[in-house]
Amino acid sequence: MTNNNKFPSLAIVGATGAVGKVCLDILAEKNYPAEKIKLFASERSAGKKISYNENDLIVYEADKNSFKESNVVFISADSEVSLYLAPAAVNSGALVIDDGSAFRMKKNVPLVVPEVNEDDIDFHEGIISIPNCTTTPLVMALDQLRKLSKIRRVHASTYQAVSGSGSLAVAELRDQTENILNNKEISKFVYPHQIAFSLIPQVDDFMEDWYTKEEHKMINETKKILHDYDLSISVTCVRVPVFYCHSEVVSVDFEEDVDVQEVVSLFSESDGIKLIGNGKNENYPTPSMVEGEDDIFIGRIRKDLSNNKGINFWLVSDNLRKGAALNAIQIMESAIKLGKIPNFDS
Ligand SMILES: NC(=O)c1ccc[n+]([C@@H]2O[C@H](COP(=O)([O-])OP(=O)(O)OC[C@H]3O[C@@H](n4cnc5c(N)ncnc54)[C@H](OP(=O)(O)O)[C@@H]3O)[C@@H](O)[C@H]2O)c1
């Protein structure tokens, strides 16, 4: 990695957050040159230093003029920040890769998981979104399964780690756990109920139809990424007292009979998917095994006992890596390959 012209100049907005930190870890693993990275966060973090491959990178307060020298701007902050800063970044000639939900369902914004719909990058007009961290592993699995038979119906239940709600939620689970073990009062800032030693069957706010926004995001994003707006899909999202990695139980009904062995063979050969176990013993993926891994992990594949054209399986993926930072970096790599970064020739 000697020719620095091969690397787009990056701005990372939200560099001090849960996703921003993992984004820097992954760039460091890839030896991305420090001089090509500029870090941004809110005014609270301005002046902080973050160490990166033996360099100290300074964090600047992000504003609309921050991106004049950037080819690619990763935004990992909340939706208001994306809505405020992304148009300015596009106007200054950069490609924005946004981790939040602000633009995901907009017609002119590709929503991309490179293993599934890399070609959608082609129609970007300056902004590309990454999906919700539960949608990404689900579409990777469904995209493979639809090669076996048309999918008639999908149901997924999630078991989502607290890091999916950002670094404050990680602190909340840690503090509640310590306090409960020491017989002290607990505080709640992020979640409406105690999360330590419990479960919360609510992720994000409720909507008119009694589903939550997170459940709607998974449903709508899955249809958009798979280009299958008729897909019949329902979802229940649950927050669990796990720090890192989201898990899902997925049931898929097909039009035709599908053999479990075919599913096993298909997943074993799919890019970005690791299959664990043979379904007969205690060998299957768990969140603690998958933390820090790039692939999504699948196990416990079996026939649905209530429907002989259905299968059930378990999947686990690192929400901060493939669910967020890694997917964003892979989108940038695909955009470089496809020549879709404005003002940048590799
Ligand atoms: N966590 C996940 O698993 C996951 C997965 C997929 C997508 N996402 C999305 O990624 C985004 C970030 O999530 P996160 O989990 O990393 O959250 P987080 O840990 O709470 O971090 C938020 C980041 O945003 C920065 N920020 C806040 N206000 C800002 C402002 N006005 N200008 C610039 N930066 C500002 C914060 O900087 P300060 O430190 O200065 O406050 C911090 O760096 C969210 O949109 C989330 O939906 C998260």
Side-chain angles (χ1 to χ4, degrees):
M1 295 224 171
T2 44
N3 175 9
N4 281 6
N5 293 333
K6 285 193 317 187
F7 298 92
S9 297
L10 299 184
I12 302 177
V13 179
T16 52
V19 175
K21 281 183 186 147
V22 173
C23 189
L24 281 170
D25 289 346
I26 297 171
L27 291 169
E29 287 161 19
K30 290 174 179 283
N31 275 327
Y32 208 93
E35 59 274 23
K36 290 279 181 171
I37 302 174
K38 213 159 169 201
L39 305 185
F40 296 95
S42 77
E43 60 175 347
R44 293 178 290 276
S45 305
K48 272 189 189 164
K49 286 183 181 156
I50 297 184
S51 102
Y52 173 84
N53 270 358
E54 298 177 12
N55 296 275
D56 277 337
L57 299 183
I58 297 173
V59 179
Y60 297 92
E61 179 184 353
D63 66 37
K64 288 185 171 182
N65 298 312
S66 299
F67 311 115
K68 295 204 160 56
E69 288 155 25
S70 307
N71 301 119
V72 176
V73 178
F74 288 118
I75 306 185
S76 298
D78 57 36
S79 287
E80 290 77 57
V81 176
S82 297
L83 289 167
Y84 178 69
L85 292 177
V90 174
N91 280 339
S92 61
L95 168 65
V96 171
I97 301 178
D98 187 57
D99 279 353
S101 58
F103 307 107
R104 284 180 191 151
M105 295 312 295
K106 300 237 179 285
K107 272 217 163 79
N108 60 345
V109 175
L111 179 63
V112 176
V113 177
E115 291 87 341
V116 178
N117 63 334
E118 184 183 59
D119 290 349
D120 285 356
I121 287 174
D122 214 41
F123 71 78
H124 86 73
E125 294 175 8
I127 301 176
I128 301 174
S129 284
I130 72 151
N132 189 275
C133 36
T134 48
T135 308
T136 300
L138 180 66
V139 294
M140 287 175 70
L142 296 179
D143 184 47
Q144 293 301 322
L145 290 173
R146 63 183 175 167
K147 292 177 183 164
L148 298 177
S149 161
K150 188 170 165 44
I151 292 173
R152 207 172 59 76
R153 175 181 170 271
V154 176
H155 187 271
S157 296
T158 70
Y159 303 72
Q160 295 181 225
V162 294
S163 55
S165 320
S167 37
L168 282 179
V170 172
E172 182 151 311
L173 173 58
R174 192 192 53 226
D175 293 348
Q176 286 186 0
T177 305
E178 268 175 26
N179 286 340
I180 290 169
L181 291 173
N182 290 301
N183 287 322
K184 290 186 184 159
E185 288 286 302
I186 61 155
S187 314
K188 300 189 288 272
F189 298 106
V190 178
Y191 298 121
H193 301 282
Q194 173 186 320
I195 182 66
F197 305 102
S198 189
L199 302 167
I200 302 176
Q202 174 191 354
V203 179
D204 211 331
D205 297 331
F206 280 93
M207 298 185 68
E208 288 279 296
D209 62 0
W210 300 8
Y211 279 74
T212 63
K213 279 189 186 163
E214 183 87 346
E215 290 160 351
H216 274 273
K217 279 184 235 166
M218 263 183 95
I219 291 167
N220 296 331
E221 293 173 15
T222 297
K223 292 179 180 187
K224 177 168 176 174
I225 296 163
L226 295 177
H227 302 168
D228 184 356
Y229 291 93
D230 296 327
L231 183 70
S232 175
I233 170 169
S234 189
V235 170
T236 301
C237 292
V238 180
R239 186 73 64 191
V240 297
V242 164
F243 284 105
Y244 301 102
C245 295
H246 292 346
S247 306
E248 300 178 29
V249 168
V250 185
S251 300
V252 180
D253 294 350
F254 297 96
E255 293 279 338
E256 291 144 52
D257 214 346
V258 162
D259 184 56
V260 168
Q261 272 313 322
E262 280 184 286
V263 178
V264 168
S265 311
L266 181 77
F267 282 150
S268 350
E269 289 157 13
S270 305
D271 278 353
I273 297 180
K274 268 216 176 84
L275 196 64
I276 302 281
N278 59 10
K280 291 190 183 137
N281 54 32
E282 53 279 323
N283 196 10
Y284 36 71
T286 67
S288 58
M289 272 178 207
V290 172
E291 188 181 331
E293 296 283 346
D294 287 348
D295 290 329
I296 67 156
F297 285 65
I298 292 182
R300 300 223 50 211
I301 302 170
R302 60 214 189 278
K303 198 98 185 158
D304 187 330
L305 294 179
S306 66
N307 170 16
N308 62 10
K309 290 182 181 164
I311 58 150
N312 300 320
F313 59 94
W314 168 251
L315 69 78
V316 186
S317 87
D318 187 324
N319 54 298
L320 295 174
R321 287 184 81 95
K322 188 58 190 167
L326 176 67
N327 200 51
I329 291 169
Q330 288 172 329
I331 289 172
M332 175 180 75
E333 291 169 342
S334 295
I336 295 172
K337 185 179 77 186
L338 299 169
K340 292 300 291 184
I341 299 187
N343 310 311
F344 176 77
D345 283 324
S346 58

